[in-house]
Amino acid sequence: MNGSTIIFYLLAALTLGCGMVAVTTRQIFRAAIFLLFSLIGIAGIYFWLDYEFIAAVQVVVYVGGIVVLIIFSIFLTHQAGEQLPKQSLRRKLLSVLASVCGFLLTIIQVWKYSFTKSAGTPVEPSVGNIGRRLLSANADGYALPFEVISMLLLAAMVGCIVIAMKSPTAVVSKENKAQPEMVTIDQKEQKILVEEEIGEV
Amino acid sequence: MFLKDYCKEVLGAVQSLLTGMKRTGYYFTHHKEIITQQYPDNKDTLVLPERFRGEVIMPHNEMNEHRCTGCTACELACPNGTIKVITKFDITPEGKKKKAVDKLVYHLEMCTLCNLCVSSCPSDAIKMEQTFEHSVYDRKLLTKVLNKPGSKIMEGIE
Amino acid sequence: MWSFSKIAGIIDNWLNQTFSPAIALTIEMVLVGVLVIGLFALLGLVLVIMERKVSAYMQIRLGPNRVGPKGMLQSLADTLKLMVKEGLTPKGADKFLFNLAPFVAMIGAMLVMAPIAFARNFQMWDLNIGVLYITAISSLSVIAILIAGWASNNKYSLLGAMRSGAQIVSYELSAGLSILAIVVLTGSLQLSDIINAQANGWWIFKGHIPVVVAFVIFLVTVTAETNRAPFDLAEAESELTAGFHTEYSGMKFALFFLAEYINVFIVCAIGATLFLGGWMPLHIGSWQGFNHVMDYIPSSLWFFGKTFFLIFVIMWFRWTFPRLRIDQLLNLEWKYLLPISMFNLLLITIMAIMGWHF
């Protein structure tokens, strides 16, 4: 066992332990924070593998983006500070069973697969290389997924704007109808007020 | 058109920010402007601004005479009952009764130093003094009688 | 001549000769950790006294002048006071997270220290995605603020945390775009490449007006990201008592306070590295004589000089401008900084492709 292995096991323990606490804790905010540490542990494993780019992207996307979003939605929900109710034993058993099944499936696949050393020279994971791969339309290029994902993101952004925007037609019709009435009420009130003042004087 | 307004707005904002920074930068580099008074150290040379108000006093001349007629204008002008004028009646040489001040009681602990009493005084009997080291251990010491014992009104003040 | 890289090299040689490589590496790591913590403590002391003096002179005051010569030991005395103060944990607070938050803030600040080049050949970790790493890790600072705000069980803290979360997340965009301007010009994310690309002149001089615009946008956004006035809505004294650290006292408060100043130092160091050449002395094109004269000034002095100049500018901002309202803050980002920096990035990309920069 050398230093590198020790670091790997430490990172794995951090990831798994924090993941475990994240699903077992009964306070939703703590769950989010432990999820964050778990994701940081995964980023650490990427760093350990010398895949700095993926690691940094992991931190940017999951830690800086998604967990912050989760925390924000927790802040905005009602009664987020209270402890969640205890789960029934049946539910617990079922969820344990489901996760064990998933774990076994993965482990069996990993064991079955015979890892062979790739014949070609390893690709240097530099940023320039990644960028070229991402945008090349060759056999091992990722131009199509890249474009598809960008379309997806565009659709999501347009959707956000549509949801956030008040529908312009409704607003216009409301304004047209509502405004004259408002004005008349205001004028009436003002008149009454003015009359009252005059009367007092 | 929109773009022109936008650029104008941005440039205007930058210019106004730079104006502000120029002012603070000027103060940062010009240490002569510093107005800090290092108070207990410079007690001997401390010069207070002309308009600084410390407490209300009643000036007396060398013959122990003041200018207060006891008209209670200051008491009426005071917004929080700091001044209390206790009057008495003097007998003038002609045998007439004349209103005069017995004691002008001044509660420094209640005074906000608003200067209304001084400006309301018709005979300029009271004024603001610049003393400011008023702290004492007993609150009673802050209640002062402004006219000195045995003092009387100056000749010719009505 | 003594330089940081020479001293580091001598220590490295000696350790490798006396111990086995693994132990030497471990000792070096511990040494680096201790040095970083020492640097943090020193920076905290220096920056706090600097801030107080700068603010005093800008407000025509004298500032601290009682402890030590010209009041220079004031922050040391303050640190002592904070150390002996009791660290209270309010009732009803989430104790674990409440105590965790200051450490997350400090660790986040510490991690960003790794790729910064302090002097020629003096860098902890020159990883090939340095700039991306910095932007990634600096997004961790918001987590600490959110944890602190939530765990305090206090409405002011929560409001402050929400505000600073919204602020940091939105200002990260234009900060990233203005950093990207330099990445486009250099063609590399590695900090040493970026510094070496400025050997014939700093980017702020080589890159014409677009880089100056990017630099200004960078300064504004990092001021916002470090939660400093005029963007200190997260801890607006007049509205939220002290924002997310309302409930903190003693050393835990000190850690937040320190993390704020460390973050200021780090963003200024990054700004100095990207736009002002890091430790690279002032070189002008091919003026050999001038460049040689400039090389005589040690590279660490250049780095710290530039960084402290930027820190001074950010302090200058703080003591000149009044605080923004939250809607003004978001308007500034989404209606002004973001469109301008996007357009600016486009200009810089064209400039880089056509080779119009020097």
Side-chain angles (χ1 to χ4, degrees), chain A residues 54 93 95 185 192:
Chain A
I54 309 283
L93 282 179
S95 50
I185 288 168
I192 292 165

Side-chain angles (χ1 to χ4, degrees), chain C residues 80-156:
Chain C
L80 276 176
K81 181 204 73 173
L82 282 170
M83 269 187 208
V84 297
K85 267 178 101 170
E86 183 185 3
L88 286 170
T89 309
K91 204 177 171 188
D94 191 333
K95 283 214 177 71
F96 171 69
L97 292 180
F98 184 81
N99 291 322
L100 182 75
F103 296 102
V104 174
M106 276 314 282
I107 291 168
M110 266 184 169
L111 284 174
V112 186
M113 217 66 153
I116 291 173
F118 292 95
R120 197 189 293 270
N121 300 325
F122 191 70
Q123 198 172 2
M124 278 176 238
W125 188 22
D126 187 21
L127 76 177
N128 61 4
I129 47 142
V131 175
L132 182 65
Y133 174 86
I134 288 166
T135 45
I137 301 294
S138 60
S139 68
L140 274 175
S141 66
V142 65
I143 300 281
I145 291 173
L146 289 175
I147 296 177
W150 173 266
S152 298
N153 193 27
N154 176 322
K155 59 188 168 195
Y156 296 128

Side-chain angles (χ1 to χ4, degrees), chain C residues 1 120 198-202 205 276-303 306:
Chain C
M1 217 169 85
R120 197 189 293 270
Q198 304 180 63
N200 59 346
W202 304 341
F205 299 132
L276 304 179
W279 49 258
M280 192 61 78
L282 178 62
H283 286 172
I284 299 177
S286 51
W287 296 13
Q288 290 300 335
F290 180 79
N291 293 351
H292 278 303
V293 171
M294 283 295 161
D295 282 340
Y296 274 108
I297 302 173
S299 55
S300 50
L301 270 191
W302 278 107
F303 174 77
K306 287 167 195 173

